[in-house]
Structure formats: structure tokens, C-alpha cells
Amino acid sequence: MTAIAELLAVDEGRRDIAWLRRALQTAVELEHSTLPLYASAMLSLEVQNYVTYNAIRSVLMEEMVHMAIAANMLAAIGGAPRIAGLDPRYPRHGLPGDAEPDLELVLAPLSIRQLESFMRLESPQFLLGEQYRGEHYPTIGRFYQAIRAAIKAGAEQVRNAFTPGGPASQVGDDIGFTTFIPAPGADPVKMLCAGIDEILQQGEGTGWSLETDAMYQHEESHYAKFAELRYGRRYSGPPPGSVVTSGNVDRCFAGPVIDWPVVVNTLAVPSDGYAAVLAADPAGADAAKELAVFDAAYTEILADLDQVWNGPAATQWPTFGQAVSGMSALRVTSCFTFMRRQIPPAVVSRLPELYRAEFDLLASHTDLSRPVFYGPRFALTGPGNDIAHP
């Protein structure tokens, strides 16, 4: 992956088609990297709590759409999205490409701390602190704005590259994914810019608002959806006559109360994918098998999605169907297996010894005074993925 800071360091006059292809592949990886974070929080809910579960699920589904938009944009200008084998390798500082580099991210159950991290990832520019607004600090919003500017500045190259029959397919026009297919009277530049705007609006909101515009039915942005859960109240909009700032944004959430759901107290996933815990757990071999089933299913989903874009057109929809079925199976292969398997208290008491460098991180995302359970680790299986089978 090309680092966002490296992409943004390229002079604006030299951000050509090759630059756009690198940037859009980075966007695919960036969008994918949010999926394990948000899914870990969603799967940690004891039941499919109507408000909280559906709020996180709606963001998760839109992030999948955003990944598809980025992949379709890349395919539209002659690139081939690479999806199989994508692995953010949590815990980490920032997202792949070094977006939000000071933010420590870990796969963990739903908590106020996790929601605040999610809000930072989805924050509109006007709510970011001064230290995050400089050109040297790569945010997701600034990255997409740079891609949009490069599309407009390189309009002639973009139009020349925008031809059917490239190495990758366009996917999903008839299931709601935005596609970018040449059509009489349609300007490729405007089409691609609209794709960027869709990603930005649904993540950040539009302008100085935490909502999307009329095209997306004034739906709350991802930031607002996570903030509703953080503040425990529905989005009500800014008080009349007020300007929303980072200091008063909580006043936008004064609607009906959202009760906090029952959360499974899973152990935040350490960098070894629980290897030390599994080795110390007398039932670790059984837990490892259950974790491996989930990991294999997740790995297969990514492989299927890669084939959807890059494989034969004749197998596109059956392969996409396999990926969708795999996504549905992830809940079954986690919530009803290893997430019901308690990590023995004797093993939990050894965490400071087992994870000297990471213990503070784990303890800050898991309540170690309560029973602790295994959580989904979204590890890839196969050669070169050493944490999938500890």
C-alpha cells in the first residue's frame, strides 16, 4: 500500500492517472480496514439490539459500499482492485496508509472508548482539532478531497482512461453499488467526483452538517450514528442559531434516549491473535479450532470479492453470492462458538505477564474484573499469515 502522506507529498501537477490508480487502491484498503473494527463492535452485542446493532450494521454496510465504489472507480480508469489478502493487522496506530496516525486502533467490544475512536475516524474536517488540520496530517477526508481534486485537474487523462474492457469488472449496478460505465452524454469526471462525494457525505456529512443531503435522504452521517451511541441520544440537530463545533457537538444529540446494550466482554485482540492466551488455556486447542473456522470464512470472503472484480464475468454473480453467504455465516461462526467460550480467570490474571508491551491497551478496552471471552480476530489464513493458527 502507498502511504497517504506519500501520495499527498506528490506535487498536485504530477498527480496523473498512475497516481490516481495508486490512490484508489489505497482507498480500497482504507475502506476495508474499517470493516473488522466496526464488525468486532457489532458482533460483541449479546443480542441484535434494535437501535445499536442496526446503527453499527448500517455503517458497516455503507463502508462495504464505499469499498465497492473505490474498486469500481479504479476499474473504470484501467486499474485492477486487489482485495484478496488485505490485512490491516490490528492493533495498530492509524489505518492502512497511515491515516489518523496518532490513533491507537484495536479489535475490541463496543465501548465508549471504541465509539470515540470511530467518531475520530469519521469526523468531518470542521470538528477536528487544530493539530489534525495541517497538510502534514493525513486524514481520510483530506485524502478523498485530494483524489477528487486530481480527477478534476487531470480531466483529459481521466476521460482518455475511462473506457470499457479494462482488466477489472464494474460490480453492482443492479444491487445498489455505484458504477462508472461510459454512456453517451455522461462526463466521466463528473461521475467519478460524484462517487467521491457519496463516500464523503455518508462518512462525514455535508458541509457543516452531520447529515447527508437530499440525494441520500438527509440520513445521519457515520459520525452522527456513532455519536448517537456515544451520547446515548438520537441526533436532533444543532440548537437554533448555533454553529456546531467540537466543543458543543454533544448538544446536537438531545433526542430520545438510546439505552446501552448488553455487550459480550471480549478480550481486545493482541498482535499475536491470542496465541499466548490459547497456549495457556487448557481448552485452548478447541478455542483455536473455532477461531480458525471464522478466520477461514473471512479469508474466503476476501478471495471471493477479489474474484468478483477480477475473475471471469460468467462467474461474477455466483461468486458474489458466495461472499454474501460468507458474511452472514460470520455471525454464526463467532457469536455461537468462541464468543461464548470464557477465558479462564487464571489465564486472565496472567495477561500482564503474557503481554507486557500490550497489557495496558488490552485492559483499556476490556473489563478484566468481569468474565472475559474470546473475540473475532479477523486473521487471514494461508501461507504468510502466521497468527491465524497459533
Side-chain angles (χ1 to χ4, degrees), residues 37-38 59 100 103 105 111-125 127-128 140 203-204 210 221-232 245-246 249-250 253:
L37 285 172
Y38 299 164
V59 173
E100 316 289 350
L103 191 57
L105 298 169
S111 66
I112 296 297
R113 183 174 183 134
Q114 280 294 79
L115 287 169
E116 289 175 344
S117 291
F118 299 167
M119 289 163 64
R120 259 288 303 279
L121 291 176
E122 304 285 356
S123 178
Q125 296 288 322
L127 288 182
L128 288 174
I140 297 172
E204 301 179 357
L210 300 179
S221 67
H222 294 180
Y223 175 91
K225 289 179 181 180
F226 286 135
E228 284 186 325
L229 304 181
R230 162 65 181 86
Y231 297 118
T245 68
S246 58
V249 68
D250 59 313
F253 301 89

Side-chain angles (χ1 to χ4, degrees), residues 41-355:
M42 184 185 75
L43 292 172
S44 74
L45 303 185
E46 179 67 38
V47 296
Q48 293 185 15
N49 174 275
Y50 180 76
V51 175
T52 305
Y53 185 91
N54 283 354
I56 301 174
R57 184 178 183 277
S58 70
V59 173
L60 191 64
M61 296 301 290
E62 285 182 352
E63 294 293 358
M64 293 179 187
V65 172
H66 296 173
M67 187 176 86
I69 291 172
N72 281 341
M73 292 177 70
L74 178 55
I77 60 170
R82 299 183 301 277
I83 299 172
L86 294 184
D87 188 1
R89 290 191 174 270
Y90 292 110
R92 58 177 296 139
H93 283 87
L95 293 175
D98 297 329
E100 316 289 350
D102 68 309
L103 191 57
E104 195 164 37
L105 298 169
V106 60
L107 303 180
L110 182 70
S111 66
I112 296 297
R113 183 174 183 134
Q114 280 294 79
L115 287 169
E116 289 175 344
S117 291
F118 299 167
M119 289 163 64
R120 259 288 303 279
L121 291 176
E122 304 285 356
S123 178
Q125 296 288 322
F126 71 88
L127 288 182
L128 288 174
E130 192 64 37
Q131 67 270 38
Y132 307 123
R133 296 184 187 177
E135 287 299 323
H136 66 283
Y137 188 91
T139 64
I140 297 172
R142 179 171 295 110
F143 175 53
Y144 276 118
Q145 288 161 5
I147 294 176
R148 192 182 194 282
I151 291 169
K152 295 185 73 173
E156 184 177 354
Q157 284 192 37
V158 168
R159 292 186 182 111
N160 289 337
F162 198 87
T163 56
S169 303
Q170 294 277 311
V171 177
D173 184 45
D174 50 359
I175 59 170
F177 294 172
T178 300
T179 53
F180 308 89
I181 299 171
D187 183 1
V189 172
K190 290 182 179 180
M191 293 169 67
L192 294 173
C193 285
I196 294 294
D197 292 343
E198 180 177 348
I199 293 172
L200 285 174
Q201 279 200 38
Q202 290 178 338
E204 301 179 357
T206 179
W208 289 76
S209 171
L210 300 179
E211 300 176 352
T212 60
D213 62 20
M215 180 178 293
Y216 305 108
Q217 301 182 321
H218 300 287
E219 179 188 27
E220 290 92 345
S221 67
H222 294 180
Y223 175 91
K225 289 179 181 180
F226 286 135
E228 284 186 325
L229 304 181
R230 162 65 181 86
Y231 297 118
R233 287 188 176 272
R234 291 282 198 176
Y235 178 70
S236 54
S242 66
V243 176
V244 182
T245 68
S246 58
N248 68 8
V249 68
D250 59 313
R251 296 172 62 196
C252 296
F253 301 89
V257 170
I258 298 174
D259 294 326
W260 188 258
V262 177
V263 179
V264 179
N265 189 40
T266 58
L267 180 62
V269 182
S271 57
D272 72 348
Y274 295 135
V277 173
L278 292 167
D281 183 350
D286 291 333
K289 290 177 183 177
E290 293 170 353
L291 286 160
V293 169
F294 180 96
D295 295 337
Y298 172 64
T299 303
E300 182 61 28
I301 289 169
L302 295 186
D304 285 342
L305 290 175
D306 197 282
Q307 278 294 102
V308 168
W309 266 274
N310 298 301
T315 64
Q316 185 181 79
W317 288 115
T319 305
F320 187 77
Q322 289 175 201
V324 172
S325 295
M327 292 174 198
S328 299
L330 291 184
R331 180 168 177 81
V332 175
T333 56
S334 58
C335 297
F336 302 106
T337 58
F338 55 81
M339 289 182 66
R340 293 182 180 271
R341 187 180 289 277
Q342 184 178 350
I343 299 174
V347 177
V348 173
S349 70
R350 293 183 57 198
L351 290 176
E353 163 202 341
L354 298 174
Y355 297 101

Side-chain angles (χ1 to χ4, degrees), residues 11-32:
D11 184 80
E12 291 183 12
R14 297 177 54 236
R15 295 178 184 177
D16 56 11
I17 284 294
W19 184 93
L20 276 172
R21 288 172 183 152
R22 291 197 305 275
L24 287 170
Q25 174 61 35
T26 298
V28 169
E29 298 180 35
L30 191 64
E31 296 296 342
H32 162 264

